[in-house]
Amino acid sequence: MTRRLPLAPVVYVLLLMTPVYWLITMSLKTNGEIMGRFTFIPQEPTISNFALLFSDSAWYIGYVNALIYVLINVLISVIVAVPAAYALSRYRFPGHRQLFFGFLMFRMMAPAILLVPFVQLASDLNIFDTHIAVAIAHCFFNVPLAIWILEGFISTVPRELDESASIDGFGFGRFFFRLLLPQIAPGIAVTAFFCFMFSWVEFLLANALTAVDAKPIGGVMTRAGGVLSANISMLSAASVIGLIPGIILIIFMRKHLARGFSMGRVV
Amino acid sequence: MISASNGHVALAFLAPALLVMLVSGIVPIGFVAFYAVHDTFAGNDFIFVGSQWFEQVLTSRQFYAALAKSMGFAALALAVQIPLGIYIAIRMPAAGTLASVLIVLMAIPLLTPTIVVGYLWKAMTLPKAGILFESLQGLGLTLDMNNPVIVWLVLLLMDAWHWTSLVVLLSYAALRAIPEDYYRAASIDGAGKWAVFRFVQLPKLRLVLLIAVLLRFMDSFMIYTETYVITRGGPGVSTTFLSHELVQTALIQFDLGEGGAISLIYFVFVAIVSWLFFQFIVPKEVRA
């Protein structure tokens, strides 16, 4: 194999990063500078936007709220999906195929479809404007995805492991937590990553199901946004901070991003 | 193989997931179905109206126009992202620091909240401030956001920016799973680059590409937040996609019945596409 600079991927990544770089420069400029003249490097960089973001609770609470419902969602999705994926991987029962299909179908459903019922249900159950309401709503696409990924990972674990465990007199609980879970740990990490991703980026449901107490940053931005050109500097700073949880997660997941995938059915 | 008599054990494992799906999927769909066959004033009294809303939706020119736009957008998005994603994945270094750096960077758009994607790309098209507008200006071109063709190109570019990396990452992972021996065998047979792609890489990519196509198609088909922030459905109705139509009907006009009917039609559409996909992706050799 020839060793040379992989030009196409490098160019591709540079093109992807250009808007991100530009977003960061805008967050460090004043509105006046942004709307005045196009510059690649901020002429008078200021961190006043970030100072406001981190000192004004009306802003920073938006990130906290989003993180809370995303983490609740990831937790629910993984906890219910592991046993379900195990069942789908190891047992054959009437309706097995249909059930797998049913789960898959919900993953394909658009949030816009279920918007009104979710708002109605959340009000009926008195959980409107709570983190749990958003976390549960996001389950309809994340639980099927989690089952789908984990089923692939569990299917790569040889059935002999289950059998040898029972021969060795392991109880099921011991087998499940001591043998199976460590085997599929990368799968759980990949699953958590995907669930985090899809819940973190979703806006429509998260915004519609919240008012004040659980409003995610996207909702705060929309409310504060108004005319874009008048608030462009502040919104850019808010956007930059909005990228950070994702970036941290990617850096943690970088080894599994490629290797982890290839073990599960997602690949 | 564990037999059907162990079905109740399987059911016990499945119960928590089924319960969650009942609350977050099946009951809401039930609500939608209820809305779709009732008329209401302010959401209090519901009067059964049968198929009235379906007839209204299925004879509405607006609905078919929105459907066509969504289909077109999703098809064009796939036509760009799938080939580009595969190409980048094939050209990626197999391992090393550069590979990790590239992977980390290219995953950033995937974890960018949709609202931020919308703001970013809206800002990029602003005169004076926007990098896209100014770059094109530098080339002597004017980014006319009142021209539907230009707006569509911007939206497709935005969707490609946001999601192509998903195709790259999935393909890249599948490519890494191909044993080195396959390539050696191919080179002994004197296979060229195209033959290696066609007969070694593509077969290994088949499954992952089916998944990528399905995920990407469905998400682009019902794209809402990003496109709404950038265009509000305009200019005119040129980017009023099915999801905009739906949110407009159900939430802004509070027309629950019509919104419910659109939703149910979409649900059937999803069921058909998912079923077709399931026939492909769950072939015997995989499910055995």
Side-chain angles (χ1 to χ4, degrees):
Chain A
M1 286 235 167
T2 50
R3 273 216 165 273
R4 59 198 168 106
L5 186 73
L7 194 62
V10 170
V11 170
Y12 168 73
V13 166
L14 284 178
L15 285 175
L16 286 188
M17 287 303 106
T18 309
V20 177
Y21 167 77
W22 175 72
L23 184 71
I24 295 169
T25 66
M26 280 203 301
S27 70
L28 298 168
K29 293 176 183 175
T30 59
N31 281 322
E33 187 182 344
I34 294 170
M35 297 313 293
R37 191 166 61 88
F38 187 80
T39 48
F40 270 107
I41 297 161
Q43 301 301 306
E44 293 158 43
T46 165
I47 57 159
S48 60
N49 291 322
F50 292 99
L52 181 64
L53 276 178
F54 285 111
S55 59
D56 184 352
S57 69
W59 278 101
Y60 68 72
I61 203 73
Y63 300 102
V64 176
N65 285 334
L67 281 175
I68 292 174
Y69 69 68
V70 168
L71 291 176
I72 296 175
N73 172 270
V74 171
L75 214 60
I76 297 176
S77 299
V78 171
I79 289 174
V80 305
V82 170
Y86 180 79
L88 287 171
S89 166
R90 292 297 200 253
Y91 295 87
R92 288 293 172 274
F93 47 87
H96 179 275
R97 221 178 135 80
Q98 288 76 2
L99 192 65
F100 208 83
F101 169 67
F103 280 125
L104 182 81
M105 205 170 61
F106 275 99
R107 170 54 189 83
M108 300 308 147
M109 206 96 68
I113 302 291
L114 301 177
L115 188 60
V116 174
F118 273 136
V119 174
Q120 184 75 49
L121 267 172
S123 324
D124 290 352
L125 298 172
N126 262 329
I127 55 168
F128 182 78
D129 198 19
T130 61
H131 304 100
I132 192 79
V134 183
I136 291 174
H138 284 181
C139 278
F140 87 84
F141 52 80
N142 270 348
V143 167
L145 186 77
I147 293 176
W148 192 7
I149 298 172
L150 284 166
E151 196 266 350
F153 275 90
I154 294 173
S155 294
T156 64
V157 177
R159 231 170 252 277
E160 286 73 38
L161 185 78
D162 307 33
E163 284 150 19
S164 68
S166 78
I167 291 166
D168 292 347
F170 270 46
F172 185 79
R174 220 170 131 202
F175 154 73
F176 198 82
F177 291 101
R178 291 283 201 68
L179 289 176
L180 187 69
L181 285 189
Q183 286 281 321
I184 59 164
I188 291 176
V190 170
T191 307
F193 172 80
F194 270 96
C195 291
F196 186 100
M197 171 168 115
F198 285 112
S199 180
W200 176 249
V201 302
E202 204 280 333
F203 170 75
L204 188 58
L205 289 176
N207 189 46
L209 284 171
T210 53
V212 181
D213 294 343
K215 204 75 178 166
I217 183 61
V220 177
M221 285 170 65
T222 313
R223 213 164 39 196
V227 182
L228 177 60
S229 54
N231 298 288
I232 195 164
S233 159
M234 190 63 197
L235 288 173
S236 301
S239 297
V240 169
I241 302 297
L243 296 179
I244 289 176
I247 294 174
I248 292 172
L249 195 69
I250 296 164
I251 291 172
F252 271 114
M253 284 294 300
R254 69 186 183 283
K255 289 213 179 77
H256 294 305
L257 269 180
R259 196 181 63 90
F261 284 72
S262 55
M263 293 172 66
R265 175 88 15 101
V266 160
V267 172
Chain B
M1 181 69 70
I2 297 152
S3 71
S5 64
N6 281 4
H8 59 280
V9 182
L11 190 63
F13 286 127
L14 285 162
L18 290 173
L19 187 70
V20 171
M21 290 311 291
L22 183 72
V23 176
S24 83
I26 296 161
V27 169
I29 283 288
F31 270 59
V32 168
F34 179 83
Y35 297 146
V37 293
H38 287 80
D39 197 358
T40 180
F41 295 101
N44 293 323
D45 293 314
F46 286 91
I47 307 149
F48 183 77
V49 293
S51 63
Q52 183 196 314
W53 296 118
F54 291 96
E55 285 160 29
Q56 185 172 325
V57 170
L58 290 172
T59 53
S60 144
R61 217 169 252 262
Q62 217 175 324
F63 170 74
Y64 288 105
L67 183 66
K69 279 177 272 184
S70 289
M71 287 277 213
F73 184 77
L76 288 171
L78 284 183
V80 174
Q81 295 170 25
I82 299 289
L84 179 63
I86 296 172
Y87 177 71
I88 300 293
I90 287 176
R91 301 298 300 273
M92 280 281 287
T97 316
L98 183 63
S100 332
V101 171
L102 289 174
I103 285 174
V104 167
L105 291 177
M106 72 172 62
I108 291 174
L110 298 177
L111 278 125
T112 304
T114 50
I115 189 83
V116 170
V117 175
Y119 272 123
L120 177 56
W121 281 78
K122 170 91 185 168
M124 282 170 69
T125 63
L126 292 179
K128 280 193 184 170
I131 189 167
L132 191 61
F133 186 94
E134 287 301 318
S135 311
L136 289 170
Q137 195 83 338
L139 298 171
L141 301 166
T142 304
L143 186 69
D144 178 11
M145 290 300 279
N146 289 316
N147 181 339
V149 178
I150 306 272
V151 171
W152 266 66
L153 288 175
V154 169
L155 294 185
L156 284 168
L157 195 61
M158 175 209 69
D159 203 51
W161 177 85
H162 194 183
W163 289 113
T164 303
S165 296
L166 186 69
V167 183
V168 180
L169 288 173
L170 290 170
S171 306
Y172 180 73
L175 287 172
R176 295 289 76 77
I178 302 175
E180 198 57 36
D181 292 352
Y182 285 39
Y183 291 108
R184 230 169 284 145
S187 82
I188 289 168
D189 291 345
K193 266 190 184 158
W194 174 254
V196 169
F197 173 69
R198 175 66 191 80
F199 296 108
V200 178
Q201 295 172 321
L202 198 58
K204 283 283 173 190
L205 286 175
R206 198 183 128 251
L207 195 61
V208 73
L209 284 180
L210 278 167
I211 292 163
V213 165
L214 186 70
L215 285 176
R216 287 303 314 117
F217 180 83
M218 288 304 183
D219 290 348
S220 291
F221 182 71
M222 283 307 266
I223 191 164
Y224 177 81
T225 307
E226 307 92 310
T227 53
Y228 187 75
V229 169
I230 298 175
T231 69
R232 309 260 148 187
V237 291
S238 60
T239 58
T240 305
F241 297 115
L242 195 56
S243 51
H244 296 197
E245 202 69 60
L246 178 59
V247 173
Q248 182 70 29
T249 307
L251 222 61
I252 303 187
Q253 298 164 5
F254 212 67
D255 220 331
L256 292 185
E258 199 185 335
I262 297 176
S263 298
L264 265 200
I265 293 165
Y266 175 75
F267 181 76
V268 172
F269 175 81
V270 170
I272 293 170
V273 174
S274 304
W275 184 80
L276 287 175
F277 173 77
F278 199 62
Q279 296 305 314
F280 274 111
I281 201 161
V282 196
K284 281 90 217 160
E285 84 260 23
V286 180
R287 296 253 50 119

